[in-house]
């Protein structure tokens, strides 16, 4: 029986020990169930959220930015697809084969093997893509798409890049995009998310002006993604609304002609439509290549002596020189100080009654017997000096203001400056001297104007009724509406005030009031400014301006090489003030002084054409182009001729088309 | 002509008699449960499920066969089982297939590999149980010599597996061996001594760990260190389990696993899939099934007279349950991730077949419980 006893003892020990083990299992089970209850009941919300965020991804869909066109539908700014190719490192199976294949298909498309390998090594996040190369053409994309089936994890991406097919021809006027800063984001508060996403905003030029139209509306989509970030399923989508295209008033043909004529010299060209004030050309030279705009080049261009980023057409201010003489003449005529008969004998020197300074005409020996007509087309300084005191600084300032000088014209242009004794006093400068008036009357001294203002002045001079809407980039009115409709034009400028400057020959409304400090004008006098100018005086001034481009005018070259009638006026902007006397006390002549290139005078020319019924007004400034404005007159000529030839071709074409219509109509 | 065919003869009472219907049903339910879960975890990969289904069928056939073993020559069986088990482990070290930095598989047929360490989970407690049942006198405790022989068997098996390296399975072998020795009459000071050894074992095992295993342990200790790297697995598993809630997201609706956020979702982390899609309720159902297997095995074991049978049945089923609990604990971030499948559920043929054969052995022992009353007493 002992055997059974031992057996029983053995069994009891076994049961006891098994019970210990089972109790352990029970405790462990309790811990597990507790853990599960904690995770799945207590913390379920947290983990639900985490799992939702894991798989649901809402992303912005960028709208395509709108295109910019010139008036004939040529593209100024558009978008180009920029391709990139990337790979998920975890999915690479045969690294050597992949690298060999990449060397093959991406040869010559900017792919750098070492840079890629470096990015590959630096990759930390599992299953995130690593860029292989970007910014190559469609051809390389095709080669990749063709061979990528052999490898896993190769992704081709595309993003939209701004593209300026015209290069530097329209660089300044189109402007450029850049990264939005805090100020931009505050200004576009409702679109801040969009701007953060697309990370670019129109910074300057038309890109900035039409930002609201061009940018479009963002869309978004909610997708379910897998662990690699691949969209598995689209849950919700709101398509982006692409930005609107903007047709502008610019004329690329004229822009090209202007760019060619400037030959990279420093300066600016502005052309306006006389009837509508529409900007046809707004060119600053030298220009930059908008496609090459990056931080490196930006700095290089900023430091360059030529300042290619500076928009001279709007931001530069020059003493306009003799180009203001037609306005001075009209001002004197309105007061009755000047008339077309009186003659001044010009020996090349003017000596004021007070003071010991002498004033030299640009023509050393003088112009001889000079009436107003000749004084305009020969640009005789002595003639205007003789009447300076009687014309007076106030009325001269008023006239210049009436023609658009001394205030910004609403395109972000500099206001320039019309000096006056008051302005001198208010700004705390040296008191106004009689000599300042003599400088002012020939457009020198403190008087400053931007090329845009001078173009506007020219357009007013050339217009039929003296009313030119403020310059704008609005496209021409659709066919059927008469061009130059005043109320349309005013609305299109986008300015608050409906008023505009212009030579009012038939009861135009009064001018707006501006900052007196800068214009030097008193506003009350402006209300009746238009009353004085007569049609006869205007016509005579225009005849004199046409004579400027004749053989005995100051700009005969403006007539070379074509048969169009161009009227205009030369001007010289002095860069440095020359000493009047030499060391021995003898009067100095201009030709006696040696000037460096950068001390050379700026050449200016304003012109309009056709002279009998002006359509386009053009101004050209060539910095350090020399006295007399000859080089500038050539630039204006080229721009005007390109416009007139294009118009001629267009008219011929439409005439032929009309005849064709009639012929086909006749058959029936 | 007489129609002599009688179905009852083909499926006669003698043929199915060794099978315990309750245990069979429970194991079958668990297997079906596993196949369904596998279908979801593999993203509806029918091939993988079919393959696992074939393994399951083979497992049940082998269980059926093993349940019919007469157990008369149980020592010879244990001898050959030990020979096969240790032999295959040695072969694996020599000729095994390497995958993910560890050499665990032995190619047997083209496209089919065997994982001998999984077979060892059944073989080792069997061999130990037979040895202890025969060597230790009834009512006596284990002698020093017997203890050393048992320990040598256990440690050799664990070492061969660690060298592959496969930490998880080695730990399970140690657990099953320890259970067998404990129930077989290990002296108390040995029990406490080895418990102390377990406490210092991390420092002993550390030099044998592969880099990725060390990483896993370190990640467990400092889960926040590298949330996108090694900590990724565990945090995604927690999200899967936690987001399942009480009722779960629905079968095949688990986003964490179907979008590949949960790694190894068909093997080590298959529990995360269950918890995400089936919620707490399904987790409890699974645990109840496991508990029922344990309960039924213990009920059978209660009738055993032979000590070797009792030791084997207890050690085997405790190890089986413990492995399931460790797997769940790893998915819940209660234990470091060492790579252990959920028994009968996770993908993998060897483990499944070995487990079913173990239960087949228990059925055989139950069937013959009256015949081998004193077998262990040196018959």
């Amino acid at each position: 029986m002992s055997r059974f006893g031992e057996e029983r003892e053995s069994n009891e020990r076994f049961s006891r020990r098994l019970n210990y083990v089972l109790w352990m299992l029970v405790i462990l089970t309790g811990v597990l169930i507790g853990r599960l209850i904690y995770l799945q009941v207590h913390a379920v919300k947290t983990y639900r959220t985490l799992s939702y965020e894991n798989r649901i991804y809402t992303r912005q869909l960028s709208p395509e930015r709108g295109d910019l066109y010139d008036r004939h539908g040529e593209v100024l700014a558009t978008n180009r697809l920029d391709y990139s190719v990337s790979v998920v490192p975890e999915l690479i199976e045969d690294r050597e084969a992949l690298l060999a294949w990449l060397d093959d298909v991406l040869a010559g498309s900017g792919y750098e093997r070492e840079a890629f390998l470096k990015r590959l090594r630096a990759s930390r996040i599992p299953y995130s893509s690593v860029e292989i190369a970007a910014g190559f053409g469609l051809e390389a994309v095709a080669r990749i798409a063709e061979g990528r089936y052999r490898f896993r994890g190769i992704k081709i991406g595309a993003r939209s890049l701004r593209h300026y097919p015209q290069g530097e021809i329209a660089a300044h006027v189109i402007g450029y995009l850049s990264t939005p800063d805090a100020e931009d984001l505050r200004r576009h508060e409702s679109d801040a998310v969009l701007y953060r996403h697309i990370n670019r905003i129109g910074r300057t030029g038309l890109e900035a002006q039409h930002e609201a139209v061009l940018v479009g509306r963002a869309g978004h989509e909610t997708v379910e993604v897998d662990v690699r970030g691949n969209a598995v399923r689209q849950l919700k989508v709101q398509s982006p609304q692409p930005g609107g295209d903007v047709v502008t008033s610019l004329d690329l043909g004229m822009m090209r002609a202007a760019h060619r004529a400037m030959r990279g010299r420093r300066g600016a060209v502005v052309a306006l439509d006389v009837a509508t004030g529409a900007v046809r050309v707004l060119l600053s030279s030298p220009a930059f290549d908008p496609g090459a705009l990056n931080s490196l080049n930006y700095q290089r261009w900023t430091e360059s002596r030529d300042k290619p980023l500076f928009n001279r057409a709007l931001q530069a201010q020059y003493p306009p020189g003799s180009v203001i003489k037609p306005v001075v003449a009209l001002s004197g005529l309105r007061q009755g100080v000047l008339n077309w008969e009186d003659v001044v004998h010009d020996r090349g020197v003017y000596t004021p009654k007070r003071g010991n300074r002498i004033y030299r005409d640009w023509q050393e020996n003088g112009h001889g017997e000079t009436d107003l007509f000749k004084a305009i087309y020969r640009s005789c300084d002595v003639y205007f000096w003789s009447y300076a005191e009687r014309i007076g600084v106030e009325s001269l300032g008023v006239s210049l203001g009436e023609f658009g000088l001394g205030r910004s014209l609403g395109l972000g242009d500099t206001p320039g400056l019309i000096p006056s004794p008051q302005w001198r006093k208010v700004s705390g400068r040296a008191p106004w001297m009689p000599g300042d008036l003599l400088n002012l009357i020939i457009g020198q001294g403190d008087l400053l104007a931007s090329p845009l203002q001078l173009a506007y002045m020219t357009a007013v001079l050339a217009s039929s009724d003296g009313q030119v809407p403020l310059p704008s980039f609005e496209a021409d009115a659709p066919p059927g509406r008469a061009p130059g409709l005043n109320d349309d034009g005013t609305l299109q400028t986008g300015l608050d005030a409906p008023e505009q400057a212009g030579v009012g020959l038939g009861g135009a409304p009064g001018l707006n009031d501006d900052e007196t400090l800068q214009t030097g004008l008193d506003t009350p006098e402006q209300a009746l400014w238009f009353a004085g100018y007569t049609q006869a005086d205007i016509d005579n001034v225009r005849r004199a301006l046409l004579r400027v481009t004749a053989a005995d005018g100051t700009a005969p070259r403006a007539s070379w090489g074509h048969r169009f009638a161009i009227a205009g006026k030369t001007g010289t902007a002095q860069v440095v003030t020359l000493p009047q006397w030499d060391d021995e006390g003898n009067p100095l002549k201009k030709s006696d002084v040696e000037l460096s290139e950068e001390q050379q005078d700026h050449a200016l020319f304003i012109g309009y054409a056709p002279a009998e019924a002006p359509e386009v007004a053009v101004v050209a400034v060539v910095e350090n182009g020399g006295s007399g404005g000859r080089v500038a007159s050539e630039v204006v000529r080229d721009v005007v001729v390109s416009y007139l030839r294009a118009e001629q071709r267009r008219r011929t074409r439409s005439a032929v088309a009309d005849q064709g219509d009639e012929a086909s109509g006749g058959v029936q | 002509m007489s129609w002599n065919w009688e179905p009852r003869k083909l499926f006669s009472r003698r043929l199915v008699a060794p099978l315990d219907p309750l245990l069979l049903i429970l194991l079958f339910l668990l297997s079906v449960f596993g196949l369904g879960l596998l279908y979801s975890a593999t993203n509806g990969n029918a091939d993988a499920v079919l393959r696992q289904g074939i393994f399951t069928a083979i497992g049940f056939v082998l269980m059926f066969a093993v349940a019919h073993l007469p157990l008369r020559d149980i020592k010879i069986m244990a001898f050959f089982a030990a020979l096969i088990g240790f032999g295959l482990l040695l072969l694996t070290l020599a000729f095994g297939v390497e995958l993910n930095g560890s050499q665990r598989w032995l190619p047997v047929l083209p496209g089919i590999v065997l994982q001998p360490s999984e077979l060892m989970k059944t073989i080792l407690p069997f061999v130990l149980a037979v040895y202890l049942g025969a060597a230790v006198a009834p009512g006596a405790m284990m002698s020093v010599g017997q203890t050393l022989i048992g320990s040598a068997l256990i440690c050799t098996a664990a070492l061969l597996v660690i060298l592959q390296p496969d930490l998880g399975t080695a730990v399970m072998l140690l657990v099953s061996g320890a259970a067998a020795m404990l129930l077989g009459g290990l002296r108390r000071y040995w029990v406490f001594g080895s418990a102390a050894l377990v406490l210092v074992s991390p420092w002993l095992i550390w030099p044998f760990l592969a880099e990725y295993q060390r990483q896993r342990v370190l990640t467990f200790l400092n889960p926040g260190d590298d949330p996108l790297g090694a900590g990724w697995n565990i945090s995604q598993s927690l999200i899967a389990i936690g987001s399942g809630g009480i009722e779960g997201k629905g079968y095949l609706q688990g986003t964490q696993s179907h979008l590949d956020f949960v790694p190894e979702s068909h093997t080590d982390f298959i529990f995360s899939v269950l918890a995400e899609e089936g919620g707490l309720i399904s987790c409890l159902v699974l645990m109840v099934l496991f508990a029922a297997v344990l309960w039924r095995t213990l009920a059978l074991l209660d009738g055993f007279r032979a000590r070797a049978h009792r030791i084997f049945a207890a050690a085997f089923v405790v190890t089986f349950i413990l492995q399931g609990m460790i797997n769940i604990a790893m998915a819940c971030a209660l234990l470091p991730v060492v790579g252990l499948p959920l028994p009968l559920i996770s993908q993998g043929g060897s483990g499944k077949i070995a487990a079913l054969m173990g239960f087949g052995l228990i059925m055989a022992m139950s069937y013959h419980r009256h015949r081998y009353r004193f077998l262990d007493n040196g018959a």
Side-chain angles (χ1 to χ4, degrees), chain B residues 130-152:
Chain B
V130 171
Y131 168 71
L132 295 175
V136 182
M141 303 296 271
M142 283 166 72
S143 70
V144 174
Q146 290 161 341
T147 307
L148 287 180
I149 291 174
S151 302

Side-chain angles (χ1 to χ4, degrees), chain B residues 275-336:
Chain B
E276 184 185 19
E277 299 189 346
L280 184 61
I281 294 173
S282 301
C283 296
L284 293 177
V285 166
L286 179 78
M287 289 169 125
V288 166
L289 280 176
F290 273 118
V293 168
L294 175 66
W295 165 78
R296 183 60 192 159
T297 308
L298 291 176
L300 293 179
L301 179 152
D302 208 34
F304 294 1
R305 291 289 173 269
R307 278 199 293 131
H309 296 187
R310 299 174 68 127
I311 293 170
F312 168 75
F316 173 80
V317 78
V318 163
T319 311
F320 174 86
I321 296 296
L322 204 57
Q323 181 175 337
M325 295 173 83
I326 291 176
N327 175 281
I328 295 172
M330 288 189 306
C332 295
L334 288 175
L335 283 177

Side-chain angles (χ1 to χ4, degrees), chain A residues 118-342:
Chain A
K118 204 172 160 190
R119 282 194 294 273
L120 205 56
R121 277 194 297 275
S123 160
R124 284 274 172 271
I125 301 171
Y127 289 107
S128 65
S129 297
V130 173
E131 185 178 280
I132 296 171
F136 43 80
L138 205 54
E139 208 179 306
V141 172
R143 285 200 299 269
I144 293 165
E146 210 173 293
R148 73 164 164 170
Y149 70 91
R150 294 195 285 137
F151 304 93
R152 289 173 67 209
I154 301 274
K155 284 189 211 166
I156 297 176
R159 67 192 166 133
S160 183
L161 277 191
R162 200 65 167 158
H163 177 51
Y164 302 104
Q166 307 305 336
E168 58 178 45
I169 287 172
H172 290 99
V173 63
I174 295 172
Y176 53 84
L177 310 174
S178 68
T179 309
D181 53 28
E183 170 64 26
D184 296 319
L185 294 178
R186 196 160 52 245
R187 206 169 45 240
H188 301 275
E189 205 180 340
S190 55
D191 288 327
V193 178
L194 167 68
Y195 279 110
R196 270 199 205 90
H197 180 64
I198 60 178
N199 205 29
R200 59 181 192 183
I201 190 168
R203 177 63 59 206
T204 61
L206 291 168
E207 292 277 29
Q209 191 192 336
H210 294 292
E211 177 65 27
V213 179
L214 292 170
V215 69
R217 298 250 67 83
H220 49 79
E221 69 172 346
T222 305
V223 289
E224 191 175 56
V225 294
D226 68 8
V227 68
R228 287 165 203 94
N230 298 323
V232 181
R233 192 156 43 128
Q234 196 178 47
L235 302 175
K236 204 167 72 184
V237 64
Q238 187 185 340
S239 302
Q241 191 184 327
D245 296 338
V246 174
V247 179
T248 66
S249 62
L250 292 171
D251 188 318
L252 259 175
M254 294 168 74
M255 301 271 297
R256 287 196 192 97
H259 181 256
R260 229 178 359 255
M262 286 301 287
R263 299 204 301 268
R265 290 173 295 191
R266 292 184 298 278
V269 183
V270 178
L272 299 177
D273 185 272
V274 170
T276 62
V279 180
R280 297 288 184 236
V281 174
L282 193 83
L283 182 123
S284 178
S285 180
F288 58 92
D289 178 4
L293 190 69
N294 53 40
S295 57
L296 188 77
N297 277 339
Y298 189 88
Q299 185 166 356
R300 202 160 56 83
W301 289 334
T302 309
E303 289 163 0
S304 163
R305 205 185 57 168
D306 284 346
K307 293 193 174 71
L309 290 171
F310 182 50
N311 189 352
R312 292 176 163 84
L314 297 179
Q315 290 301 317
Q317 15 188 25
Y318 303 98
S322 303
V323 299
I324 65 156
K325 276 177 183 161
V327 177
V328 176
L330 285 171
S331 181
L333 288 164
R334 176 169 60 173
Q335 290 178 77
V337 175
L338 296 181
N339 60 57
W340 296 100
E341 287 80 38
D342 288 351

Side-chain angles (χ1 to χ4, degrees), chain A residues 264-459:
Chain A
R265 290 173 295 191
R266 292 184 298 278
V269 183
V270 178
L272 299 177
D273 185 272
V274 170
T276 62
V279 180
R280 297 288 184 236
V281 174
L282 193 83
L283 182 123
S284 178
S285 180
F288 58 92
D289 178 4
L293 190 69
N294 53 40
S295 57
L296 188 77
N297 277 339
Y298 189 88
Q299 185 166 356
R300 202 160 56 83
W301 289 334
T302 309
E303 289 163 0
S304 163
R305 205 185 57 168
D306 284 346
K307 293 193 174 71
L309 290 171
F310 182 50
N311 189 352
R312 292 176 163 84
L314 297 179
Q315 290 301 317
Q317 15 188 25
Y318 303 98
S322 303
V323 299
I324 65 156
K325 276 177 183 161
V327 177
V328 176
L330 285 171
S331 181
L333 288 164
R334 176 169 60 173
Q335 290 178 77
V337 175
L338 296 181
N339 60 57
W340 296 100
E341 287 80 38
D342 288 351
V343 170
V344 166
H345 191 74
D346 170 24
R347 286 188 303 263
V349 179
Y350 173 74
T351 318
K353 291 182 187 85
R354 291 190 297 267
N356 60 351
R357 277 182 71 118
I358 58 164
Y359 290 84
R360 292 183 178 281
D361 197 284
W362 65 271
Q363 185 134 354
E364 282 174 23
N365 298 322
H367 300 279
E369 302 288 317
T370 307
D371 61 3
L372 180 56
F373 192 81
K374 187 179 174 186
I376 294 173
Y377 83 77
R378 289 298 307 161
S379 200
C380 175
D381 294 337
V382 170
Y383 181 92
F384 288 100
W385 283 331
S386 308
Y387 294 99
E389 235 160 292
R390 290 172 60 199
I391 293 173
V393 61
E394 283 80 14
S395 67
L396 192 55
V398 169
S399 293
L400 290 170
E402 285 162 0
F403 279 82
L405 268 53
R407 65 198 173 102
S408 170
L409 296 175
L411 293 184
D413 51 325
T414 175
L417 178 67
I418 301 174
S420 71
Q422 264 170 293
W423 163 75
R424 280 282 180 88
K425 207 185 289 172
V426 172
S427 62
R429 286 160 210 263
W432 185 262
M433 304 291 283
D436 291 320
L437 176 61
L438 298 183
N439 270 336
L440 173 63
I441 210 162
I442 60 162
Q444 305 290 355
D446 295 325
L447 182 65
L448 290 172
S450 69
L452 179 72
Q453 286 172 327
L454 296 177
Y456 183 71
M457 179 189 84
T458 313

Side-chain angles (χ1 to χ4, degrees), chain A residues 3 17 35 48 54 126 227, chain B residues 182 186 236 243 256 332 374:
Chain A
R3 175 168 176 166
R17 290 193 165 183
R35 176 71 170 167
R48 282 255 160 94
N54 246 351
V227 68
Chain B
L182 182 73
L186 190 64
Q236 292 301 330
S243 65
Q256 283 289 107
C332 295
F374 303 115

Side-chain angles (χ1 to χ4, degrees), chain A residues 347-349 358-366 574 577-583 585-595 601 627:
Chain A
R347 286 188 303 263
V349 179
I358 58 164
Y359 290 84
R360 292 183 178 281
D361 197 284
W362 65 271
Q363 185 134 354
E364 282 174 23
N365 298 322
Q574 284 175 0
T577 309
L578 297 180
Q580 292 250 322
W581 316 93
D582 68 9
D583 296 339
N586 302 316
L588 264 181
K589 290 174 182 172
K590 199 166 187 173
S591 49
D592 295 336
V593 186
E594 290 266 331
L595 290 173
D601 293 336
S627 304

